[in-house]
Each structure stands twice: as C-alpha cells, then as structure tokens.
Amino acid sequence: MSHTSFPDAVREHADLARGALLVGLVGTGIGPSLSPALHEGEARRLGVRYRYRRIDLADWGLAPEAVGDVLAITRDAGYRGLNITHPCKQAVLPHLDELSADAEALGAVNTVVFEGGRAVGHNTDWSGFTRGLAVGLPGAALGSVVLLGAGGAGAAVAYGLLTAGAGTVHVADLDGDRSAALVESLRTGFGAGRAVAVHGDDGLAAAIGSADGLVHATPTGMAEHPGLPLPADLLRRDLWVAEVVYRPLDTELVTTARARGCRVLDGGRMFAYQAAQGFRLFTGEEPDVDRMLSHFDHLVRTSGEGTSDVG
Ligand code: NAD
C-alpha cells in the first residue's frame, strides 16, 4: 500500500502525463486488464498522445461507493474520462451529471466522459456486443434468442439484442431472481412479449430447441471457472452461438460449438468494439476497429489465461 494519498497520486499521474489525453479504468481487481495496452496501442498508431491508467479501488482500500470521489478527483486533475468496470457500473450512476439514453435505459455505465466539467455516462457494452454480432455473425437470425446469464454482461447483451430487433429473448440464470428482474426491466423497455424467463434444465432445453441463437453471459469458461455452461447436445448445428467470455477466447463452449458445426462468435469482438467506441468518445478520433480487434486477440493470446477478465 502506498503512503501517497489517493488524490495526490492521481494528481502526480496527471502531471507526469504532460498534456497527453488522460483516461482511467476504475474497478476492483483490474490488475490483469488488457484495456490500457489496447487503448494506448491504438492511440500510438494514430499519433494521439494518450495515457490510460488503471485505478484499482482495492489498491487504495476503497469501496465501490467511492467511485463518486474518484470521478471528482480525476475530473479535477484534468482527466478526459474513465472506463468503469466491475463492481462500479451501477454505483457510478448517482454521481453523473448526464446519461446517454441507452445508459439510462440499461441502468449501467461503462464509460464516463468529462465535458466542460460535467460527467456524462455512456454504455458501450451493449453496442459493442451488437456491432460484434452484426460483423462477426452477419445475417444471424434474431427471431428467438436464448441468453444464459442475467448479470451485468447479460443485461447489456439483452438490451443490444432487442435494440437490434430480436423478436424474443429467453433469459436463463441459476439465480431465478436475477433472470426475473432482467425480464421485467426488458418488458418495461421493449414490450411484454419481447422477454421471457426460462426455468430449470427442461425449460432451457426447450427454449434452445426452438431458438435461432444462444448467447452465453455467465463466467463459465473463464480460466478459474472452466467447463461448459450447458449440455453439449443442446448445441445443434443450425444454432448460432455467441460467447461473451474472452479470457480465454477459445472457451470450452466456443470449441465445442464449433466442433458441433455451429456458427460461433467468441467474446473478443464485444470487448474490442466496446473499447473502440470508448476510444472514439474519449479522443474524437476514428479508431481502426479491425486493428484493435487483432491487437486484442494478440494481447489475450500472449497474456496467459489471466485470473480476471474485467475491462
Ligand atoms: P455477473 O456476476 O454480473 O453475472 C453472471 C450471472 O451468471 C449471474 O447472474 C449468475 O447467477 C449467472 N450464472 C453463473 N453460472 C451460471 C450457470 N452455469 N448457468 C446459468 N447462470 C449462471 O457477471 P458479468 O459481469 O455479467 O460477467 C459475466 C462474464 O462476461 C464474465 O466472464 C465477464 O468477464 C464477461 N464479460 C465480457 C464482456 C466483453 O466485452 N466480452 C463484457 C462484460 C463482461
């Protein structure tokens, strides 16, 4: 633990940046995050002077609720903005001056831009997923989609799917309260028939049996949660499968679904596209999204399995 106070450390970092555009990632346990390398790499290639710093609340003994102080301190130190990750995407909401319509509807923010002293919240997770799906699985049918996992990533995916015109999203989660809450909020935003909760193994099998696609948004498949999130024989070859886990990119679901002949999207595109959208908001520059995607792929494959894939 450093002896420098948190505000002093932020100011020191800002001074060291010497006029470069300064951006931070705020969350807990973000040491292994690939976002700094991804953002700074793109800035270098575009000739933008840009520094992207990790602000790990755990390093400073700070609770998620301290995110409001972090906003005030970084804004005053001259930061251009922040990415917000677990566990602060909702905790940050009361501290913002303005929200994009999508972030407001989703009730979660992963990007904050300081505009003339005002903190403006955006959500690029949902748009990253939707764009990644459109480019990575062009023409994927969206009549009926099963979403496994109703946490933060699942909520962004569901919002993205329905915004992109999905007919019905069938939501399954081990925690029935979570799937019910997500379904409720989706019905409020998009209409009663657009979201349905799925119950139990039989309910999941039936929903997948008549679905066009499956999106997986639980932590299963990460290095510390290995395995398949559902029985392999539910993966019919005419079902498309989108994964949100990206460390590793080739999760057991991805490799199993490919082997069974499904069209498969790994979790890399969602991540790279949300990062590209954040970069655009912070810099006003147009990033080369394909270059960011291949850089991200390289970073994931060379950084080891990692123990965390936040931000
Ligand atoms: P979370 O903890 O908020 O939610 C996970 C949900 O999955 C919980 O509701 C939990 O009950 C449920 N769950 C766990 N195991 C299950 C199972 N076997 N069957 C059904 N439900 C199950 O986590 P999160 O923030 O939503 O993150 C989920 C994953 O998505 C993580 O691996 C995260 O890193 C990844 N993610 C990826 C991106 C990206 O850009 N690709 C963005 C955000 C999150």
Side-chain angles (χ1 to χ4, degrees), residues 26-108:
V26 183
T28 296
I30 57 176
S33 169
L34 302 176
S35 291
L38 183 63
H39 277 246
E40 289 188 353
E42 187 59 19
R44 227 175 1 259
R45 288 168 189 124
L46 290 172
V48 178
R49 295 190 56 225
Y50 187 85
R51 291 282 172 276
Y52 189 107
R53 305 223 179 260
R54 290 180 185 82
I55 301 176
D56 195 326
L57 299 178
D59 290 349
W60 297 96
L62 297 173
E65 293 68 38
V67 66
D69 296 332
V70 175
L71 247 66
I73 292 163
T74 50
R75 185 196 56 210
D76 293 349
Y79 272 61
R80 169 66 177 143
L82 300 169
N83 275 141
I84 309 289
T85 190
H86 183 79
C88 300
K89 289 184 184 181
Q90 276 137 14
V92 73
L93 293 173
H95 307 288
L96 299 169
D97 300 302
E98 200 179 317
L99 275 179
S100 73
D102 296 310
E104 182 161 17
L106 247 171

Side-chain angles (χ1 to χ4, degrees), residues 1-13 56-62:
M1 179 84 65
S2 163
H3 294 296
T4 312
S5 73
F6 175 70
D8 284 348
V10 169
R11 280 190 285 270
E12 276 170 27
H13 278 155
D56 195 326
L57 299 178
D59 290 349
W60 297 96
L62 297 173

